[in-house]
Amino acid sequence: VTYIIEGQIEHSDSRGNHASLEAGCMQWLNAGSGIVCDQDIKPAFKQGETEISVIRAWINLPTIQKLRPPEYLSFCHDEIPHVTLNENAGWVRILCGSYDHVQARIPSYSKQFLYHIHIEPARTFSMMTEKDQEYVAFLPTHDAVINELQCQRSECILFGSSGDFIEIQSDGDLSTDVILFGGAALNEPFIREEGFVMNSPHEITQAYNDYYDGRYGHITYNENNKTD
């Protein structure tokens, strides 16, 4: 899952998908049985002092789903489901999983979630956690007070998995953005090497062989979707 907070990127892959994504957009790429992709910052954002901020989350698939055909989806800002918090304290954009009975537009093959939470100045977001899930908060823009702990921009905060309460308060007169993500453990063997995530060394070797044999395909560029 790739989510653009600031800036603009271009995507091309060997399945013929091409997209230009700006701030507030997201894309979901299921590598499945193999795909070649190219994601690059648009040339105009490589120059000067333009702010660039991109969140990319790699989600491990259950074994039974690892060799399904590759899939790709992209969504603009207004197409991503969201929930407004009580008393206009902010909003939650549901990038993956569900929140308050609102479901994300991308498939979920295990119990997982990824939220962009925006909290207005001097307001608070809170939620109960579940015992079988892990929770991590990342602060991409400003400081925040999380469970009474002063946290700084760019920090990641890992919560316990015993079932607890998460409370996030914006810091001072500024609004705060939080990327909250996590899910339940798959409890399966896990091996990662470069861009491959499989369940055994043999499967990693097979993935390399498939790539070098050209089974993942090739990216074809034209003048309308050329990435520099």
Side-chain angles (χ1 to χ4, degrees), residues 92-164:
V92 179
R93 305 186 79 197
I94 302 99
L95 309 178
C96 178
S98 64
Y99 176 82
D100 197 22
H101 306 294
V102 177
Q103 187 72 35
R105 298 191 62 180
I106 68 171
S108 291
Y109 298 111
S110 61
K111 198 171 185 180
Q112 59 197 224
F113 62 91
L114 174 61
Y115 309 141
H116 176 189
I117 304 169
H118 177 81
I119 307 170
E120 295 295 337
R123 307 304 290 272
T124 300
F125 166 85
S126 61
M127 66 177 289
M128 291 294 299
T129 63
E130 298 182 29
K131 291 184 178 180
D132 65 338
Q133 296 199 64
E134 296 177 335
Y135 295 79
V136 181
F138 171 68
L139 301 175
T141 57
H142 298 105
D143 301 347
V145 177
I146 302 180
N147 287 6
E148 300 182 350
L149 176 67
Q150 180 68 49
C151 301
Q152 307 298 314
R153 175 187 175 183
S154 298
E155 284 188 333
C156 275
I157 297 89
L158 175 64
F159 299 90
S161 57
S162 58
D164 207 343

Side-chain angles (χ1 to χ4, degrees), residues 6 11 26 28 30 52 126 154 224 227:
E6 294 289 345
H11 169 91
M26 68 170 289
W28 172 79
N30 183 355
I52 299 171
S126 61
S154 298
N224 294 324
T227 301

Side-chain angles (χ1 to χ4, degrees), residues 47 53 75 84 90 114 137 151 154 156 184 197 211:
Q47 303 172 1
S53 181
F75 304 101
T84 300
L114 174 61
C151 301
S154 298
C156 275
V197 180
Y211 172 74

Side-chain angles (χ1 to χ4, degrees), residues 183-196:
L186 291 179
N187 295 318
E188 296 178 350
F190 175 91
I191 295 180
R192 177 179 182 268
E193 189 168 327
E194 294 186 352
F196 301 117

